[in-house]
Amino acid sequence: KGVSSKKKKVKTFKIKVCPDCGSDSVAVVLSNSDSEEDSGTGREWECKKCKWHGKNVDTKELEEEEFMKYLDEKGVEVA
């Protein structure tokens, strides 16, 4: 019959990170949003720490345990 290997689904969380300084303090720039496409390909990002501007922001994927540790290090309260 074969061996069935049921893998446990692991919850992952995505964090946007600045490609210059590695800070997670990045945000979407909302100016001129009327001229952007609906698909979101024209999004402009800004780092609040080093003032970097660009379209290619890095993304980190963390598993649930890593994400909780990350939040603890930042000092965020988790309910």
Side-chain angles (χ1 to χ4, degrees), residues 45-70:
W45 293 88
E46 176 186 20
C47 176
K48 301 291 182 184
K49 190 173 181 182
C50 71
K51 304 298 180 199
W52 169 85
H53 285 276
K55 293 185 179 186
N56 298 328
V57 68
D58 292 339
T59 304
K60 278 188 183 177
E61 286 193 18
L62 303 177
E63 293 180 1
E64 188 171 7
E65 191 172 308
E66 294 171 317
F67 185 66
M68 295 305 267
K69 185 178 177 183
Y70 163 79

